[in-house]
């Protein structure tokens, strides 16, 4: 199963946009984290993570965040397709029988975690909707609002300095609800180790 070129272009654009946050977070090669002052609130309004998760092995194995039972329970193929495992932003995607596509990716380059997302995207003209997933802060956002068409984007913080992203392409008007469940299942898997 696969998705068309338009959908793949959207995935590429979404990841490029999100990874652009990392490049915005550096000045002359110095990471923003080293420039942050403990006396200044650098959260940009992002909630703090109350119960951090150590992602361990999942950082280099993003397809493992969903078990076969979880992915087939969502109606998808039982194993995802890994991408860029040797990069700082490894990801995985799963296809559904209706040719919708769902992906999971780490945003490890954003050392400010969810605060980086708030800093860069809180003024998105499409949508910016904070949410809590299984007790972890997140936000639905993108520059264009194509949610009714099944294009949705969600970033979730599992540590103050680490987020993951889940996204959907062509998944119909319930795409964002499916992403909430996908993120919840991924958190459950990571907490189980």
């Amino acid at each position: 199963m696969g998705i068309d070129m338009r959908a793949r272009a959207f995935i590429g654009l979404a990841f490029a946009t999100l990874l652009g946050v990392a490049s915005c977070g550096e000045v002359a090669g110095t990471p923003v984290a080293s420039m942050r002052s403990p006396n200044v609130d650098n959260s940009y309004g992002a909630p703090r993570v109350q119960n951090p998760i150590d992602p361990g092995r999942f950082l280099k194995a993003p397809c493992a965040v969903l078990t076969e039972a979880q992915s087939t329970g969502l109606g998808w193929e039982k194993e995802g397709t890994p991408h860029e495992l040797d990069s700082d932003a490894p990801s995985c995607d799963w296809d559904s029988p209706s040719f919708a596509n769902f992906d999971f990716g780490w945003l490890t380059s954003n050392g400010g975690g969810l605060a980086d997302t708030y800093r860069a995207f809180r003024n998105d003209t499409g949508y910016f909707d904070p949410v809590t997933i299984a007790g972890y802060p997140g936000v639905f956002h993108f520059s264009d609002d194509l949610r009714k068409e099944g294009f949705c984007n969600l970033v979730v913080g599992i540590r103050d300095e680490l987020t993951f992203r889940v996204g959907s392409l062509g998944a119909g008007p319930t795409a964002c609800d499916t992403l909430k469940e996908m993120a919840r299942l991924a958190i459950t898997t990571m907490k189980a180790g």
Side-chain angles (χ1 to χ4, degrees):
M1 286 183 226
I3 55 176
D4 64 22
M5 293 305 293
R6 180 176 172 230
R8 292 216 184 268
F10 184 85
I11 288 175
L13 173 63
F15 271 115
T17 301
L18 290 167
L19 294 176
V21 173
S23 63
C24 293
E26 295 186 4
V27 177
T30 304
V32 166
S34 66
M35 296 170 38
R36 293 184 179 179
S37 166
N39 299 324
V40 176
D41 178 10
N42 291 307
S43 69
Y44 301 94
R48 307 286 289 180
V49 174
Q50 300 303 313
N51 298 300
I53 298 171
D54 178 1
R57 67 183 177 94
F58 299 104
L59 280 176
K60 289 295 181 185
C63 293
V65 299
L66 293 182
T67 66
E68 288 184 10
Q70 289 170 333
S71 59
T72 56
L74 289 167
W76 307 342
E77 60 188 341
K78 64 181 180 178
E79 293 182 9
T81 303
H83 303 281
E84 299 184 36
L85 297 183
D86 57 347
S87 77
D88 285 338
S91 64
C92 185
D93 70 81
W94 292 261
D95 291 329
S96 74
S98 64
F99 299 103
N101 183 266
F102 298 86
D103 62 89
F104 173 99
W106 291 106
L107 300 174
T108 56
S109 297
N110 297 340
L114 199 58
D116 282 352
T117 301
Y118 270 62
R119 174 181 52 84
F121 299 110
R122 69 176 175 251
N123 295 318
D124 266 357
T125 54
Y127 58 96
F128 190 90
D129 299 327
V131 66
T132 301
I133 307 291
Y136 291 84
V139 62
F140 285 102
H141 79 88
F142 205 70
S143 56
D144 294 314
D145 192 349
L146 301 172
R147 291 175 287 183
K148 289 182 181 176
E149 290 84 7
F151 298 90
C152 192
N153 184 63
L154 169 64
V155 175
V156 179
I158 61 166
R159 304 183 70 79
D160 285 337
E161 70 281 358
L162 180 62
T163 54
F164 68 80
R165 175 202 170 272
V166 289
S168 63
L169 298 170
T174 62
C176 293
D177 290 333
T178 303
L179 288 185
K180 284 168 82 171
E181 180 63 7
M182 179 187 185
R184 185 192 69 77
L185 292 169
I187 288 169
T188 299
T189 302
M190 285 187 274
K191 287 177 88 168

